[in-house]
Amino acid sequence: MKHVKSLQKKKMQPMDYGLFLLSRRDYAEAELRSKMVVHYRQHPELLNQCEQVIARLFELEYLDDERYAQSVARREAQRLRGPLKVKWTLERANITPLVIEQVLAEFNWRQICEDALQSKAHAYIDQSSKAFRFLASRGFSIEHIQASLDAVYA
């Protein structure tokens, strides 16, 4: 069955392939473009259509970098990761800095930092330096870490 799906995927026109990819999950524009370029590198006549397809997917609002950024930020926040790690992830996906800042402003990072600390607080009883390193590795800023340590260990 998997072999049949891969054969069908190879025969797809660029618009169909773009829709196929977006039906599975959201993509950033640059990420979708690179997938399409790799997929159609052997077919230059179809490769030329990829830019038109991406523009059309934007028109139809099937492709939206802001929605993608919100989705990634929400997922990372649920995994108790901080704004620095989320920002790095979004930068790797070529999301514009303005969109990144807007998306990051929607979250209460201090509360997420406290939740991350609470999830490991039993392991760091009276070891605030280890807790600090743990939170820093999760991508929280010094201000968020210090506020969380004060709230939990005070």
Side-chain angles (χ1 to χ4, degrees):
M1 183 71 178
K2 187 175 182 181
H3 181 67
V4 172
K5 285 185 179 180
S6 68
L7 286 175
Q8 290 171 346
K9 196 168 74 169
K10 289 187 188 300
K11 294 179 184 177
M12 289 182 181
Q13 292 295 313
M15 184 63 159
D16 295 333
Y17 184 61
L19 291 171
F20 170 78
L21 291 173
L22 289 170
S23 70
R24 306 261 185 253
R25 68 173 184 93
D26 275 336
Y27 283 89
E29 176 187 359
E31 192 177 19
L32 183 66
R33 180 177 288 112
S34 74
K35 277 193 147 317
M36 292 183 81
V37 165
V38 167
H39 186 74
Y40 291 110
R41 70 181 175 268
Q42 303 293 329
H43 306 283
E45 66 282 356
L46 296 175
L47 185 59
N48 296 332
Q49 296 176 20
C50 289
E51 286 303 318
Q52 296 167 344
V53 167
I54 289 173
R56 182 68 178 140
L57 291 171
F58 263 114
E59 284 176 27
L60 296 171
E61 296 181 2
Y62 295 154
L63 185 61
D64 185 359
D65 280 351
E66 189 171 342
R67 185 177 61 226
Y68 173 79
Q70 288 171 341
S71 170
V72 169
R74 194 175 321 109
R75 182 185 69 230
E76 295 296 304
Q78 287 172 348
R79 293 178 178 171
L80 303 176
R81 296 195 176 123
L84 301 175
K85 192 154 281 206
V86 174
K87 183 178 179 182
W88 178 80
T89 303
L90 294 174
E91 285 172 347
R92 287 189 60 218
N94 290 326
I95 304 297
T96 61
L98 179 63
V99 171
I100 292 173
E101 292 305 318
Q102 289 173 346
V103 168
L104 292 179
E106 296 175 8
F107 293 89
N108 181 353
W109 294 109
R110 183 174 180 257
Q111 183 60 49
I112 294 169
C113 185
E114 282 184 30
D115 293 346
L117 183 59
Q118 290 289 348
S119 73
K120 297 288 185 179
H122 63 279
Y124 300 126
I125 296 172
D126 298 326
Q127 295 179 344
S128 62
S129 63
K130 282 189 176 182
F132 188 95
R133 283 193 303 274
F134 166 73
L135 293 172
S137 73
R138 286 287 179 128
F140 291 101
S141 68
I142 293 172
E143 295 83 22
H144 294 132
I145 294 171
Q146 202 59 51
S148 297
L149 289 173
D150 292 345
V152 171
Y153 290 114

